[in-house]
Amino acid sequence: MNIELILFGAFALLTLLSAGTVIFARSPINSAMALVSTFFFMAGIYVLLWAHTVAVMQVLVYAGAIMVLFLFVIMLLNLGESSTRGKPTVARVAGGTATVGLFVVLAIVLLKLPAEPATLSTGAQASFGTIATMGQVIFTQWLFPFEAVSLLLLVAMVGAVVVAKSRI
């Protein structure tokens, strides 16, 4: 068996397990730490895909800066451990049903994909994943979504501070 395939399977399995821990952990701090491990495992998958720049950005931006922000907000809001499980409501049942439906659709789409991966031309391979190419794409084609995400993060930070101040 190919070592890349084994590593991909290991990273994918560990990503799924740590993502499940994010969802099912009772403590918000444990959930945030599991999210950090999910980001690291995703960076491993990016390295296997020869997207080293994206892997480094994943670790620096998400596992570093964004998680520090999340932990700051969790501690600022003084969120504790959840002691009881909530009762099943209509919204939870509908959300679970929608999740199962989306997984079925995903499985159908994955089964219909061709078995052979697509290949890049020689010229595209030379510039694929470089910082210059990514910067050009982000600041031309994706400038508006890039700025919208930064504004969304700013609004979320201000909202967390406002909510925390109203409790004091």
Side-chain angles (χ1 to χ4, degrees), residues 37-98:
S37 66
T38 303
F39 289 151
F40 276 108
F41 294 135
M42 287 295 298
I45 291 174
Y46 292 143
V47 168
L48 290 175
L49 293 173
W50 291 93
H52 297 104
T53 306
V54 179
V56 169
M57 292 300 155
Q58 175 82 14
V59 171
L60 289 178
V61 174
Y62 288 104
I66 300 298
M67 284 314 302
V68 167
L69 175 69
F70 281 3
L71 289 172
F72 175 73
V73 169
I74 288 169
M75 291 178 185
L76 183 70
L77 295 177
N78 198 17
L79 297 176
E81 199 170 305
S82 175
S83 60
T84 60
R85 298 250 182 217
K87 296 178 185 176
T89 62
V90 174
R92 288 183 182 191
V93 171
T97 305

